Amino acid sequence: DADVTQTPRNRITKTGKRIMLECSQTKGHDRMYWYRQDPGLGLRLIYYSFDVKDINKGEISDGYSVSRQAQAKFSLSLESAIPNQTALYFCATSDPRRYQETQYFGPGTRLLVL
Amino acid sequence: ELKVEQNPLFLSMQEGKNYTIYCNYSTTSDRLYWYRQDPGKSLESLFVLLSNGAVKQEGRLMASLDTKARLSTLHITAAVHDLSATYFCAVEENSGYALNFGKGTSLLVTP
C-alpha cells in the first residue's frame, strides 16, 4: 500500500462549486503539505502543517482552505472553484527528526474546473 | 523571496552522451533536493544535499552542491532512454518550513 494517498485522483467540477481533496499518510510524519503544479511552473506551496494544531499559509493560499483532522489526514478545500484553479495537486509529508529529511509525495489529484 | 532557477528547461540528448543540469538559487540555504517526475506521475526523491561540497551519486546521476555559489548541478553520464523524465531541484529556506521548486528540466533521451 502507498504511504501517501490522495483522493480523488481525478475530479471535474464547475465554477463556483466547493470541493475537497483529501490526503492520508501511513508514514507517521508530523509535517504535511499541499502543493499545486501547473505546466512549466514547477510546484508551488499552498498550505503546510507541522502538526494538528499548527497550520500555515504558503505562497498561494488565496481561494483555498485546509483542515488537519488528525496526524495522518490533511484536506484541501476550494471554497468556490474557479477555472484558474485547474491544476495537478500534490500532498506531501516529511519527518524533521530524520537527518536526511526529504518530502514524500502522494500520487496527485488532477482537477479540472469548468 | 527565495527564487530557484533551473537550466535548461528542455533538454534533448542522445543515448550515451553526458550533460549537466544547473540549479541556481537566490538566498542562503544549506539544503537542496533533486526530484524526478515521470509523465503523469508523482515526484520521486533522488538526492538530498545538506552541506557545501556535498556530492551524491546514484547510477548515472551525480548531484553536487556549492552553497557559496548558490549552485547545484545534476550530471548525467552516458544517458539512457530510461532517464527521460522531468527533473526538479528544490531549495529549503533557512526558516526551514517548505521547499521552493525550480520550474523543472524536461529531459528526453533519444537513440
Side-chain angles (χ1 to χ4, degrees):
Chain A
D1 287 343
D3 295 320
V4 184
T5 57
Q6 293 182 233
T7 56
R9 295 293 310 279
N10 295 281
R11 179 75 184 267
I12 301 173
T13 192
K14 295 182 179 180
T15 297
K17 294 291 188 181
R18 183 181 188 275
I19 67 165
M20 178 182 290
L21 309 183
E22 298 186 342
C23 176
S24 294
Q25 52 113 347
T26 58
K27 300 185 76 68
H29 291 172
D30 286 329
R31 294 185 176 183
M32 298 187 73
Y33 311 81
W34 276 104
Y35 292 91
R36 70 176 273 176
Q37 183 179 26
D38 298 279
L41 293 181
L43 278 74
R44 292 180 291 166
L45 182 66
I46 307 172
Y47 270 93
Y48 61 101
S49 171
F50 283 176
D51 63 39
V52 175
K53 296 181 180 180
D54 182 7
I55 293 178
N56 303 279
K57 293 182 178 181
E59 178 188 355
I60 54 165
S61 60
D62 288 348
Y64 301 95
S65 63
V66 291
S67 173
R68 185 82 183 266
Q69 300 95 325
Q71 185 205 38
K73 296 184 181 296
F74 192 34
S75 300
L76 176 72
S77 293
L78 285 67
E79 299 300 328
S80 179
I82 57 177
N84 77 0
Q85 291 178 312
T86 293
L88 182 56
Y89 290 84
F90 286 105
C91 173
T93 74
S94 68
D95 180 359
R97 296 168 297 178
R98 293 183 58 193
Y99 174 60
Q100 296 215 8
E101 173 194 4
T102 188
Q103 290 190 12
Y104 297 89
F105 286 80
T109 294
R110 192 170 298 277
L111 175 66
L112 173 61
V113 182
L114 300 176
Chain B
E1 177 187 350
L2 175 59
K3 293 185 178 180
V4 181
E5 293 187 353
Q6 284 182 240
N7 68 84
L9 297 182
F10 299 95
L11 175 57
S12 179
M13 56 190 299
Q14 285 184 314
E15 284 187 328
K17 299 292 187 182
N18 304 333
Y19 207 82
T20 300
I21 299 170
Y22 297 89
C23 175
N24 292 90
Y25 54 97
S26 61
T27 65
T28 303
S29 175
D30 292 330
R31 303 174 75 94
L32 189 138
Y33 305 78
W34 285 96
Y35 290 88
R36 168 182 172 145
Q37 185 181 35
D38 292 300
K41 303 293 187 180
S42 187
L43 279 76
E44 172 191 357
S45 178
L46 294 175
F47 301 108
V48 180
L49 302 171
L50 298 177
S51 61
N52 187 44
V55 177
K56 291 195 173 179
Q57 183 164 4
E58 180 71 34
R60 300 176 186 274
L61 301 178
M62 183 173 70
S64 66
L65 178 61
D66 181 344
T67 58
K68 294 179 181 178
R70 299 176 185 169
L71 170 69
S72 180
T73 61
L74 181 66
H75 187 71
I76 303 159
T77 301
V80 293
H81 179 70
D82 286 352
L83 291 179
S84 297
T86 299
Y87 294 85
F88 292 96
C89 67
V91 180
E92 182 178 312
E93 294 193 49
N94 281 342
S95 58
Y97 70 89
L99 297 181
N100 292 270
F101 282 81
K103 293 182 177 181
T105 296
S106 293
L107 171 65
L108 176 63
V109 181
T110 58

